[in-house]
């Protein structure tokens, strides 16, 4: 579930309590009784008191709140899955296979975290951990999409031919005595070298994306085993493993942030190179 403030969660509970069958029956009964007594307002007052009492009871019912927010979380996860499926076919085969496996691992971890055999002393921690997996999966997909953007540029570049062209320009510069001609060759060489630099930066970004997606896959596989360990551990051991998982979640998110920055820089280099080529042309 996306991060929500306390007030947002409170009003979400209020709306669901008011729309519940019990609340609807309560107000329907108030309307009927009020009608029978000549639209007396007292039944509405009594219904209001009972409604407030029901809301107070629900707000103090941990099992009710957990079920309610779990339903919301499952809806958000289903929407995330639909978004992922919408872009899956645009990915390359290797990325698509990795993303599907990551999604499978995520579902298995969530299933373990929300199973009936989870002890009460670890349920809150497991809920927190499982709720942070779907955003990580979505970020992995976003990285794979960026990889496709970068690959489209790489597919249109012949690195060997570009390096040979740079070497040819260098030879022409050395062999040319005319200052104007040499300056033109030097400018052409500069532009081609910039293109090579862009190519190298983008190729490196693609490699980093591949390694990061593979890291997410391996991390999720590790978390599945740790999730089972938490479920079967005593209170002290479960707390230690849970804290380790939270730290790994933060570290993985930080790694993805760093990768996003490097990929953004690579895309900026690509756009700048294309712009300069268009300008020089």
């Amino acid at each position: 579930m996306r991060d929500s403030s306390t007030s947002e969660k409170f009003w979400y509970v209020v709306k669901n309590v008011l729309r519940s069958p019990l609340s609807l029956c309560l107000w329907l009964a108030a309307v009927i009784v009020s009608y029978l007594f000549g639209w007396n307002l007292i039944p509405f007052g009594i219904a209001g008191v009972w409604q407030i009492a029901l809301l107070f009871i629900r707000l103090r019912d941990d099992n009710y709140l957990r079920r309610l927010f779990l339903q919301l979380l499952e809806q958000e996860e289903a929407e995330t899955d639909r978004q992922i499926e919408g872009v899956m076919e645009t990915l390359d085969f290797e990325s698509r296979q990795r993303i599907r496996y990551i999604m499978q691992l995520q579902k298995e971890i969530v299933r373990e975290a929300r199973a009936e055999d989870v002890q009460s002393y670890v349920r809150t921690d497991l809920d927190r951990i499982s709720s942070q997996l779907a955003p990580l999966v979505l970020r992995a997909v976003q990285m794979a999409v960026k990889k496709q953007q970068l690959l489209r540029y790489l597919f249109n570049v012949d690195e060997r031919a570009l390096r040979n062209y740079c070497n040819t320009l260098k030879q022409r510069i050395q062999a040319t005595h005319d200052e104007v001609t040499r300056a033109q060759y030097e400018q052409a060489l500069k532009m081609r070298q910039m293109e090579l630099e862009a190519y190298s930066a983008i190729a490196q970004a693609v490699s980093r994306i591949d390694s990061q997606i593979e890291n997410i896959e391996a991390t999720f596989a590790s978390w599945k085993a740790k999730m089972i360990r938490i479920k079967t551990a005593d209170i002290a051991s479960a707390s230690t493993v849970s804290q380790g998982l939270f730290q790994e979640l933060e570290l993985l998110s930080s790694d993805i942030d760093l990768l996003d920055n490097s990929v953004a820089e690579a895309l900026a280099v690509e756009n700048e190179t294309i712009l300069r080529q268009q300008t020089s042309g």
Side-chain angles (χ1 to χ4, degrees):
M1 185 177 64
R2 67 178 181 83
D3 293 337
S4 302
S5 66
T6 302
S7 61
E8 287 177 325
K9 292 179 179 179
F10 171 77
W11 288 112
Y12 181 75
V13 174
V14 170
K15 287 188 292 185
N16 277 272
V17 170
L18 291 176
R19 292 182 297 192
S20 67
L22 183 57
S23 293
L24 295 177
C25 289
L26 179 65
W27 288 105
L28 178 60
V31 170
I32 293 174
V33 173
S34 177
Y35 171 75
L36 293 176
F37 287 90
W39 295 112
N40 191 300
L41 297 180
I42 293 178
F44 291 106
I46 295 174
V49 172
W50 277 102
Q51 182 69 83
I52 294 172
L54 177 61
L55 177 60
F56 181 76
I57 291 171
R58 292 305 192 199
L59 287 171
R60 295 179 60 85
D61 187 343
D62 291 338
N63 289 330
Y64 171 80
L65 294 176
R66 182 176 183 275
R67 289 195 305 271
L68 182 63
F69 289 118
L70 186 58
Q71 289 175 358
L72 176 61
L73 180 59
E74 289 173 346
Q75 292 172 4
E76 293 177 351
E77 290 172 348
E79 177 59 29
T80 298
D81 287 347
R82 284 192 290 270
Q83 293 176 11
I84 292 173
E85 288 299 330
V87 300
M88 192 69 77
E89 295 306 317
T90 66
L91 304 179
D92 61 281
F93 177 77
E94 182 181 359
S95 297
R96 188 162 59 246
Q97 293 299 103
R98 287 195 181 282
I99 295 298
R100 290 199 183 280
Y101 186 50
I102 290 172
M103 292 176 66
Q104 177 186 333
L105 287 170
Q106 181 238 345
K107 287 179 170 55
E108 291 174 358
I109 295 172
V110 169
R111 186 164 56 247
E112 291 290 345
R114 299 172 186 170
E116 294 297 328
D117 61 345
V118 174
Q119 299 297 324
S120 58
Y121 56 81
V122 296
R123 188 176 294 280
T124 300
D125 282 349
L126 296 190
D127 283 345
R128 282 183 58 199
I129 292 169
S130 63
S131 67
Q132 296 181 55
L133 299 182
L136 287 174
V137 175
L138 189 57
R139 294 194 71 180
V141 174
Q142 292 168 346
M143 285 190 293
V145 171
K146 289 180 180 178
K147 174 186 172 182
Q148 294 304 121
Q149 291 179 264
L150 299 173
L151 285 175
R152 280 196 294 270
Y153 173 79
L154 296 182
F155 287 150
N156 294 324
V157 175
D158 185 339
E159 183 185 12
R160 180 179 298 179
L162 192 54
R163 291 189 182 279
N164 289 337
Y165 186 70
C166 287
N167 291 331
T168 300
L169 286 173
K170 290 177 182 178
Q171 294 171 2
R172 289 178 179 176
I173 291 171
Q174 293 175 352
T176 299
H177 300 289
D178 180 71
E179 294 297 329
V180 175
T181 303
R182 179 182 296 171
Q184 291 174 338
Y185 281 147
E186 288 174 345
Q187 180 63 23
L189 177 61
K190 180 181 178 182
M191 297 302 298
R192 292 303 183 182
Q193 286 176 332
M194 289 176 57
E195 188 175 356
L196 268 176
E197 290 174 3
Y199 177 92
S200 298
I202 291 169
Q204 185 181 61
V206 169
S207 178
R208 288 178 178 176
I209 288 174
D210 279 335
S211 63
Q212 184 63 77
I213 293 176
E214 186 173 355
N215 181 39
I216 293 174
E217 177 186 330
T219 303
F220 272 41
S222 170
W223 287 348
K224 179 185 174 183
K226 291 180 180 179
M227 186 70 68
I228 296 174
R229 180 183 171 191
I230 293 172
K231 289 175 60 177
T232 57
D234 56 32
I235 296 178
S237 299
S239 177
T240 301
V241 179
S242 295
Q243 289 305 314
L245 263 177
F246 286 128
Q247 291 175 359
E248 290 180 18
L249 277 166
E250 292 178 0
L251 181 60
L252 183 58
S253 295
S254 177
D255 287 344
I256 295 174
D257 289 337
L258 291 174
L259 178 63
D260 280 342
N261 292 334
S262 67
V263 171
E265 290 174 2
L267 286 172
V269 170
E270 174 198 356
N271 293 335
E272 183 179 354
T273 301
I274 293 174
L275 179 61
R276 289 182 177 178
Q277 288 174 342
Q278 290 174 346
T279 303
S280 63

